[in-house]
Amino acid sequence: MPMTPSLFGGIVAGGTNFVCAVGTGPGDIQAEVLFPTTTPGETIGRAIDFLAPFRAKLVAVGISSFGPVDLNPASLTYGYITSTPKPGWANTDLAGAVGRALDLPVGFDTDVNGAALGEHRWGAARGLDTFLYLTIGTGIGGGGMVGGKLMHGLVHPEMGHIRLPHDPGGQGPHADPFEGVCPFHGDCLEGLATGPALEAWWGQRGEALPADHPAWPLEAHYLALGLVNLICTLSPQRIILGGGVMEERHLFPLIRAEVQELLNGYVQAPEILD
């Protein structure tokens, strides 16, 4: 009898690395691989080559990708990475290339919406219908659910590119002459608070900076400014922070204190006040 497909393939397309896996969930990963994100042809080819031996067992492939991406199924460029600053990756057909090579249905969304969906099903957002997931790493991206549905729209949320109060010439506690690294906006949230921003400003990668370094209160301030804007706009039940920068666990209490100070008691919810 023909084999009944029972597994799913997954591709997390990151700007630094691709992670590919086969399984039914986090407790049943039957194969997994990580490799660096190089050129589109080489990187997508490696992902296809990894999944190809499992093709007969696969129901479908899910892809969550760095962006911006085209999520409109009616668009001629649906499944593309579009105007990304990642060199060589602008206008790259990712979902279509995988689907054609494997002849399988492909689900496609942003990397942060993919992470949010995983948190909703298995992780820190179980039981919630309105929450945000932000990754703070090579870039800053945000996604999540509102009313139980993943966030989409005209394109998709770009929470990393919200504009923040920035004090390049002041003398106060948050004075910061750094111009930011975002090639589009300079000192947006992504321009000021990513891993590359920390390295460009302080001359060292974040993991090399001690916990009492002045970089961290400033980092917490910028992240808290972003979170407060999102709290007031979307009223999430929870915000989940991930990504490489958030491996610095001492950031969490700094961010929470800054969020409470910036909100100044206006949002009266125990999740924020306690």
Side-chain angles (χ1 to χ4, degrees), residues 184-257:
F184 293 94
H185 311 120
D187 61 353
C188 61
L189 178 59
E190 181 167 296
L192 293 172
T194 56
L198 284 167
E199 185 173 4
W201 179 211
W202 302 103
Q204 299 181 75
R205 293 174 61 88
E207 57 265 34
L209 299 173
D212 60 354
H213 193 279
W216 298 121
L218 191 60
E219 175 76 7
H221 177 65
Y222 288 141
L223 292 175
L225 283 169
L227 297 190
V228 165
N229 284 319
L230 296 170
I231 289 167
C232 292
T233 304
L234 296 169
S235 195
Q237 296 159 298
R238 182 170 297 159
I239 297 177
I240 303 161
L241 301 178
V245 172
M246 299 312 303
E247 292 294 323
E248 304 295 327
R249 309 297 289 182
H250 57 88
L251 268 175
F252 283 93
L254 295 177
I255 294 168
R256 175 170 283 278

Side-chain angles (χ1 to χ4, degrees), residues 62-77:
I63 302 174
S64 60
S65 174
F66 71 94
V69 295
D70 187 344
L71 299 178
N72 179 5
S75 171
L76 294 176
T77 55

Side-chain angles (χ1 to χ4, degrees), residues 54-258:
F54 302 94
R55 191 224 165 278
K57 298 181 180 180
L58 294 179
V59 178
V61 177
I63 302 174
S64 60
S65 174
F66 71 94
V69 295
D70 187 344
L71 299 178
N72 179 5
S75 171
L76 294 176
T77 55
Y78 170 73
Y80 277 54
I81 297 171
T82 58
S83 58
T84 178
K86 175 77 174 171
W89 279 83
N91 303 311
T92 293
D93 184 5
L94 175 53
V98 172
R100 288 189 297 271
L102 298 174
D103 192 25
L104 287 169
V106 173
F108 185 67
D109 213 319
T110 62
D111 49 0
V112 281
N113 264 356
L117 191 62
E119 295 286 358
H120 184 254
R121 184 160 185 175
W122 294 296
R126 284 175 290 183
L128 305 178
D129 67 8
T130 300
F131 68 92
L132 300 178
Y133 173 87
L134 280 87
T135 182
I136 298 96
T138 304
I140 293 179
M145 286 185 171
V146 173
K149 295 183 178 180
L150 287 171
M151 298 174 64
H152 297 119
L154 178 65
V155 282
H156 50 77
E158 284 289 357
M159 299 179 196
H161 293 273
I162 59 178
R163 309 312 297 265
L164 306 177
H166 179 213
D167 187 10
Q171 302 296 321
H174 304 301
D176 178 18
F178 183 56
E179 295 181 353
V181 298
C182 175
F184 293 94
H185 311 120
D187 61 353
C188 61
L189 178 59
E190 181 167 296
L192 293 172
T194 56
L198 284 167
E199 185 173 4
W201 179 211
W202 302 103
Q204 299 181 75
R205 293 174 61 88
E207 57 265 34
L209 299 173
D212 60 354
H213 193 279
W216 298 121
L218 191 60
E219 175 76 7
H221 177 65
Y222 288 141
L223 292 175
L225 283 169
L227 297 190
V228 165
N229 284 319
L230 296 170
I231 289 167
C232 292
T233 304
L234 296 169
S235 195
Q237 296 159 298
R238 182 170 297 159
I239 297 177
I240 303 161
L241 301 178
V245 172
M246 299 312 303
E247 292 294 323
E248 304 295 327
R249 309 297 289 182
H250 57 88
L251 268 175
F252 283 93
L254 295 177
I255 294 168
R256 175 170 283 278
E258 282 273 349

